[in-house]
Amino acid sequence: MNKINRRDFIRLAVGTTLAGGTLGFPGLLLAASPKVVVVGGGVGGCTAAKYLRKLDPRIEVTLIETKNAYTSCFMSNEVLSGDRTLASITFDYEGLKRHGVKIVIDRVSAIDPVNRQVATEGGERFGYDACVVSPGVDFKWEAIEGYDVEVAEEIPHAWFAGPQTSLLRRQIESMPEGGTVAIVAPPDPFKCPPGPYERASQIAMYCKHHKPRAKILILDPKEAFSKQGLFRQGWTQLYGFGTDNSMIEWIGGAGGGKVESLDPSTRTLQAEVEAFKADVINIIPPQKAGKVAFTSDLVDGDWCPVNKMTFESSRHPNVYVLGDASNAAKMPKSAYAANTQAKVAAAAIIARFNGQDPGDPTFTNTCYSILGEEHGISVAAVYALDKGTNTIEPVKESGGLSPMDASPAQRKREVTYAHSWFQNLISDMMG
Amino acid sequence: MGAENMNRNETMSKKVRNLLLAMLVQVPAVVLADPTGQALAFTCAGCHGTDGSSVGPSSPSIAAMDPEVFIDAMQAYKRDERNSTIMNRIAKGYRDEQIKGMAWYFAKQKMAPAPQAFDPKLAEAGAKLHEKYCEKCHEKGGRPGDAGTLAGQWMPYLNFTMEDFMSGHRDYPRKMKRKVDAAVEAGGDEALRALLHYYASKQ
Ligand SMILES: Cc1cc2nc3c(=O)[nH]c(=O)nc-3n(C[C@H](O)[C@H](O)[C@H](O)COP(=O)(O)OP(=O)(O)OC[C@H]3O[C@@H](n4cnc5c(N)ncnc54)[C@H](O)[C@@H]3O)c2cc1C
């Protein structure tokens, strides 16, 4: 990768200098195989690891992850309808190993940006030339009185796919006919903005066949939510939304949807105006960056500020924060977003190792929601960086939602394309 | 110039055209400090697979796509002239030079044929239909070329595109309709399925 490319030739020819890129990192230019340590083997971490190796196989990449397999949150709502098994969304790290990524199963306790070391709970230390951090989100457990880690063993959040997803599925299956499922939606920003509403749809998809008198109640502190028009339209077509017999009901902020406390013994949620009793409760708490971002001094408030040209932390050099944990405004916290951010960071790290300026970044987000067996909808956006404001802006005229007037055939196609999105995203990050 | 107007004996001029395309890619990129074709192409992987080889079950592989067919497709999406569920919204995010940059990147990638089930008997019947009605434009059994990619493409995607052609949701390339009609007339109800199974068999 040390070749000077055509672009650099032209820059030199017109008198611009490459020094900006090399200043401060002369040592790295000489290192035979620079070391990158990746913290977190989710979408951001895996994609960065794979693409670093793909773009420059000299780089030694070590990925540290707590679990020996990744269970994806995306497509985990489909486990709730019975459409998928948990096993079908769980993947090992063998693919990354084939790309030459060293996998370490351990939990990172903190990153020391001064000595450029990553420390694990297992007592190991890993030195790095660049560190990629993609730990995902953590919950603000204190936000809803009566809800904590122990209570969540019975009243699941299922916002990290895994045993909690299976638990919620079992609870819905054993709920009496005519029972109520309450979903407590979080305030912005949170991972997967359409997620709670897709979840309600997937639960309805199951209930429609197995418990047709069930109710799904969404209690929401927000006034509006992602893809709202499309969700309401789909719910109207599929689940009687808006009628007396609607299977799904949404209570927003203005209607008293903000939940303040939970009484687990009676399964009662106290919202601003009323109390709601439910047979099955799913609480998705408010969110902040994963714990390691806090122990490593990478946050400003709840999230990690970054230079969006490279996703390098604004707080510590040589540390790159991706995905849900970063403040990547205006990108949402989604898998596709994390995947494209990781490629920008990988290219920027390699540019730095080679003493070059990073290229201009480009990002995409796409997110599918499956509302019924033959009813898929999507949102898409192509983004470019506004360097003046360090804001990632959607490219004008591009992106947006599936059209409201799409034909049933198009809605059906979007279901199979959602499955393709899933397969390709997983394979791109770790296959 | 539409892909359908290309004279397929002019391999030399095609090479020249490709070189010109490559130059078009690089020159404006310097002036605008744009993301590279590679960087742009990387963002497509979550739907089309790493370097454009889709792992399915339905979104198309775009690796090894002829650059001109690629550009025509992206421009048609951009102008809402080709039926799509999502590509029209995505294509609008790219300027013409950026599309050229990606065309060049994908053209250089090897396409991994889709590993998918097919019925060998149908595929055999399809091979005969293809040879007679399609091979003239979709050369080498429909391998990536200047009429797009059929061999090894995901079957559901090809099925959707055939549905779109036949229902008028996508304009037929010049002279293709006649051949499709003739194939359907010769092969009956099973003709299209047979053709799709033939393309799926090319693994
Ligand atoms: C129900 C649901 C549905 C969703 N659907 C979609 C969708 O349809 N489309 C979409 O684009 N997105 C979707 N998402 C969002 C998507 O899952 C996330 O945005 C994405 O996973 C973010 O990637 P990440 O790398 O930031 O974090 P994650 O993928 O969460 O990865 C973080 C990893 O870091 C590990 N980790 C954390 N701390 C440490 C530590 N200290 N040491 C070692 N390892 C650590 C974790 O174990 C985890 O594996 C959905 C989310 C949910 C909950």
Side-chain angles (χ1 to χ4, degrees):
Chain A
M1 294 293 289
N2 259 319
K3 285 179 291 202
I4 295 187
N5 62 28
R6 183 188 158 85
R7 186 162 152 176
D8 295 321
F9 265 127
I10 292 180
R11 276 194 199 180
L12 288 168
V14 297
T16 30
T17 167
L18 285 170
T22 51
L23 256 176
F25 310 98
L28 292 182
L29 284 174
L30 304 175
S33 51
K35 288 188 173 57
V36 178
V37 175
V38 180
V39 179
V43 182
C46 289
T47 309
K50 174 172 163 179
Y51 274 77
L52 278 162
R53 295 279 310 163
K54 177 175 160 65
L55 289 167
D56 188 349
R58 291 177 318 152
I59 299 178
E60 263 181 45
V61 181
T62 305
L63 183 147
I64 310 174
E65 161 62 47
T66 56
K67 299 186 287 298
N68 58 16
Y70 183 69
T71 303
S72 71
C73 287
F74 38 111
M75 285 293 165
S76 70
N77 285 331
E78 283 63 19
V79 174
L80 300 177
S81 64
D83 206 36
R84 271 182 183 270
T85 61
L86 205 58
S88 80
I89 56 168
T90 302
F91 304 89
D92 63 32
Y93 290 98
E94 294 306 312
L96 283 184
K97 286 184 193 164
R98 282 193 291 276
H99 288 285
V101 177
K102 195 177 155 212
I103 306 287
V104 174
I105 304 300
D106 201 342
R107 181 180 295 276
V108 172
S109 41
I111 299 152
D112 171 356
V114 178
N115 297 305
R116 292 195 191 166
Q117 276 191 344
V118 173
T120 68
E121 286 186 356
E124 284 197 82
R125 281 177 181 277
F126 298 86
Y128 65 79
D129 296 306
C131 180
V132 173
V133 189
S134 195
V137 301
D138 198 355
F139 291 140
K140 296 181 178 174
W141 286 105
E142 67 287 358
I144 294 172
E145 201 191 313
Y147 195 55
D148 58 31
V149 185
E150 278 88 64
V151 176
E153 296 294 313
E154 280 164 44
I155 296 183
H157 52 74
W159 214 241
F160 296 106
Q164 289 246 323
T165 315
S166 306
L167 175 63
L168 183 55
R169 163 77 181 155
R170 283 198 303 276
Q171 291 181 349
I172 294 163
E173 278 184 292
S174 53
M175 175 178 82
E177 162 61 322
T180 299
V181 182
I183 300 174
V184 178
D188 288 322
F190 63 99
K191 82 163 142 176
C192 196
Y197 317 96
E198 190 204 38
R199 173 166 289 181
S201 317
Q202 285 288 316
I203 296 173
M205 188 169 135
Y206 163 79
C207 289
K208 192 172 178 175
H209 298 299
H210 299 96
K211 302 176 202 289
R213 288 187 293 114
K215 290 270 176 242
I216 299 143
L217 176 66
I218 308 167
L219 296 169
D220 204 330
K222 303 184 289 298
E223 303 301 337
F225 58 88
S226 170
K227 308 181 191 165
Q228 185 161 348
L230 285 166
F231 273 112
R232 295 172 74 111
Q233 183 194 55
W235 292 344
T236 304
Q237 290 168 7
L238 299 163
Y239 309 117
F241 188 73
T243 68
D244 289 347
N245 276 328
S246 179
M247 186 172 264
I248 298 177
E249 190 186 346
W250 177 73
I251 301 180
K258 183 171 189 290
V259 169
E260 290 168 341
S261 66
L262 163 76
D263 180 352
S265 59
T266 59
R267 294 192 179 259
T268 305
L269 293 159
Q270 182 60 54
E272 254 172 4
V273 182
E274 274 176 81
F276 298 91
K277 231 173 120 62
D279 300 279
V280 176
I281 296 179
N282 168 222
I283 296 184
I284 307 165
Q287 293 156 37
K288 60 183 179 186
K291 189 173 168 197
V292 70
F294 286 84
T295 60
S296 308
D297 186 37
L298 294 169
V299 293
D300 177 10
D302 289 337
W303 309 102
C304 304
V306 293
N307 171 358
K308 296 185 182 93
M309 186 81 185
T310 56
F311 274 70
E312 185 175 22
S313 165
S314 323
R315 298 184 62 82
H316 293 289
N318 308 309
V319 178
Y320 296 75
V321 189
L322 311 175
D324 294 347
S326 67
N327 172 352
K330 304 173 176 174
M331 293 186 84
K333 300 190 184 300
S334 78
Y336 212 101
N339 175 264
T340 61
Q341 290 161 8
K343 293 166 190 176
V344 166
I349 288 168
I350 287 168
R352 160 171 285 180
F353 287 164
N354 289 297
Q356 295 171 341
D357 289 333
D360 274 11
T362 170
F363 308 95
T364 301
N365 176 54
T366 61
C367 186
Y368 285 96
S369 303
I370 301 176
L371 277 57
E373 283 87 347
E374 302 191 343
H375 194 114
I377 57 174
S378 60
V379 61
V382 177
Y383 298 91
L385 177 64
D386 180 336
K387 292 183 202 165
T389 59
N390 191 34
T391 305
I392 299 174
E393 296 282 354
V395 175
K396 282 204 184 67
E397 315 288 329
S398 75
L401 301 164
S402 307
M404 283 295 279
D405 60 357
S407 66
Q410 296 281 91
R411 294 269 191 261
K412 187 174 171 185
R413 281 188 191 179
E414 289 223 272
V415 174
T416 160
Y417 284 137
H419 294 146
S420 299
W421 172 99
F422 175 73
Q423 302 273 101
N424 280 295
L425 193 56
I426 288 286
S427 133
D428 187 50
M429 70 185 248
M430 58 201 307
Chain B
M1 54 173 174
E4 66 272 24
N5 297 332
M6 293 260 318
N7 179 337
R8 60 204 67 261
N9 296 324
E10 286 177 5
T11 337
M12 251 342 266
S13 80
K14 199 165 150 185
K15 278 192 185 137
V16 170
R17 180 205 58 183
N18 285 350
L19 276 171
L20 282 171
L21 263 171
M23 289 175 68
L24 281 173
V25 174
Q26 297 197 8
V27 177
V30 174
V31 179
L32 300 168
D34 240 14
T36 60
Q38 182 189 58
L40 293 162
F42 278 175
T43 68
C44 320
C47 289
H48 290 290
T50 304
D51 291 334
S53 282
S54 168
V55 296
S58 55
S59 69
S61 285
I62 55 175
M65 217 171 146
D66 179 88
E68 197 168 353
V69 178
F70 178 96
I71 292 168
D72 281 353
M74 293 295 280
Q75 294 294 352
Y77 286 133
K78 215 171 149 173
R79 294 191 297 260
D80 284 315
E81 283 170 2
R82 177 165 162 182
N83 191 39
S84 91
T85 54
I86 201 165
M87 270 316 291
N88 53 346
R89 288 177 268 155
I90 291 171
K92 291 186 179 92
Y94 302 99
R95 291 192 307 275
D96 295 353
E97 320 83 65
Q98 294 180 316
I99 289 173
K100 283 177 194 149
M102 290 191 277
W104 194 241
Y105 182 83
F106 284 115
K108 286 190 293 198
Q109 306 307 314
K110 248 185 103 158
M111 176 188 158
Q116 56 192 330
F118 61 91
D119 176 335
K121 269 192 116 156
L122 270 176
E124 216 177 292
K128 293 196 186 99
L129 289 168
H130 173 85
E131 193 52 43
K132 186 143 183 233
Y133 300 102
C134 322
E135 173 69 21
K136 183 164 172 284
C137 302
H138 297 281
E139 290 170 293
K140 298 190 192 137
R143 298 247 177 250
D146 54 17
T149 302
L150 305 182
Q153 187 57 285
W154 287 99
M155 205 191 299
Y157 168 75
L158 290 183
N159 193 30
F160 293 154
T161 63
M162 287 311 294
E163 269 175 32
D164 287 348
F165 282 135
M166 298 175 81
S167 64
H169 284 110
R170 178 174 165 188
D171 290 339
Y172 268 114
R174 215 160 56 92
K175 294 188 188 156
M176 183 171 135
K177 182 177 189 309
R178 240 188 290 152
K179 297 289 181 182
V180 172
D181 290 347
V184 170
E185 200 171 303
D189 289 347
E190 291 285 69
L192 279 180
R193 278 187 62 221
L195 282 160
L196 298 189
H197 281 258
Y198 167 63
Y199 301 130
S201 74
K202 311 276 282 179
Q203 299 188 10

